[in-house]
Amino acid sequence: MTLTSVQSIQSTTAQTWNRIEEPMWQGSEDDIRKGLPFNLLSPTWQMFLMGDGAPTRHLQLLTQSEISVDVIAMTNIGDDDDNAPSDISLIAAPRIRRQIFLRSQKTGEIFSHATSWWSEAAMQKYLKDPSLPIWVSLNQKYTELYRDLKGIYKGACPQLAQSFGYPETQEYWARHYLLWHGGEPITMLYEIYSPAIGKYLGSSSL
């Protein structure tokens, strides 16, 4: 599936995106730099969530399974801030919001939900096929990236209960960050992770 034309993208901002609305805990860039107490987030989860590697690649290595990208929606939001983290101001308008699930091809498990915001120009340049993982698309162009982690969150997201297969009260870990190339931010991402990856990383806290 290739979604490259404006005609392939919804032209409404009515559809919402998933986030931790009322975090029971959240951390700043400084918290991410210093690291978190292990009783809050275990070392293995910290390496996964607060490292600078591509999450799709990490999931592939952890699970020994190819990871599929299920594109849920592509929405043209214009210059709207989309109730997103304030770092969206660094992404030039008009913007496109992309929403996906990352799923194991082997087991069908959904490991994460991600929302990303792109300028139309950056999407045309770097993500010609939005059904591919971002790191695959960028590696094809040998694009050097800097992953700029901005925030980390813990809390519920009832909208994902059915997709993740957990109760509405289940708490998840999430993060948001910018990807930079050549001194310019090319996209902002907000990712929510299913506890299912605990099968491979162990418990999220010690």
Side-chain angles (χ1 to χ4, degrees):
M1 174 174 58
T2 302
L3 302 174
T4 57
S5 67
V6 174
Q7 288 76 18
S8 304
I9 300 170
Q10 302 168 17
S11 59
T12 176
T13 59
Q15 183 174 355
T16 58
W17 59 279
N18 297 307
R19 66 186 300 170
I20 308 296
E21 293 288 352
E22 297 181 2
M24 63 165 290
W25 184 91
Q26 68 182 69
S28 65
E29 291 179 75
D30 189 50
D31 294 315
I32 292 169
R33 280 192 297 270
K34 292 187 301 185
L36 308 182
F38 291 162
N39 63 347
L40 179 63
L41 189 62
S42 71
T44 52
W45 276 74
Q46 292 197 45
M47 290 175 66
F48 185 89
L49 287 176
M50 303 196 298
D52 60 3
T56 312
R57 175 62 173 159
H58 283 169
L59 287 170
Q60 184 185 74
L61 294 172
L62 278 171
T63 64
Q64 296 187 323
S65 170
E66 293 297 318
I67 303 298
S68 295
V69 175
D70 296 346
V71 179
I72 305 166
M74 300 274 288
T75 308
N76 192 328
I77 63 168
D79 61 358
D80 195 285
D81 66 11
D82 209 24
N83 197 30
S86 60
D87 300 295
I88 195 174
S89 64
L90 297 174
I91 305 301
R95 305 182 186 104
I96 297 169
R97 184 214 300 142
R98 171 182 182 253
Q99 298 177 85
I100 67 163
F101 284 118
L102 293 182
R103 181 193 302 272
S104 166
Q105 289 188 14
K106 182 186 296 183
T107 66
E109 290 175 294
I110 293 175
F111 293 125
S112 74
H113 171 79
T115 303
S116 58
W117 294 265
W118 302 74
S119 71
E120 288 185 4
M123 177 164 281
Q124 288 292 336
K125 182 175 182 180
Y126 296 109
L127 199 65
K128 292 184 181 295
D129 185 350
S131 68
L132 291 177
I134 291 174
W135 75 274
V136 171
S137 294
L138 296 176
N139 281 357
Q140 288 175 348
K141 294 178 174 291
Y142 301 100
T143 304
E144 295 181 359
L145 293 174
Y146 172 61
R147 195 175 307 270
D148 186 10
L149 297 171
K150 294 294 189 180
I152 186 166
Y153 315 88
K154 183 181 183 181
C157 184
Q159 299 90 332
L160 291 178
Q162 184 174 358
S163 298
F164 279 170
Y166 287 87
E168 290 190 1
T169 54
Q170 175 68 45
E171 293 170 352
Y172 307 110
W173 280 98
R175 64 180 184 173
H176 91 270
Y177 58 91
L178 293 162
L179 286 182
W180 294 74
H181 171 65
E184 298 290 338
I186 62 174
T187 184
M188 184 179 77
L189 295 97
Y190 188 105
E191 299 167 343
I192 303 174
Y193 286 90
S194 168
I197 61 174
K199 296 178 184 178
Y200 310 95
L201 290 176
S203 173
S204 62
S205 63
L206 297 182

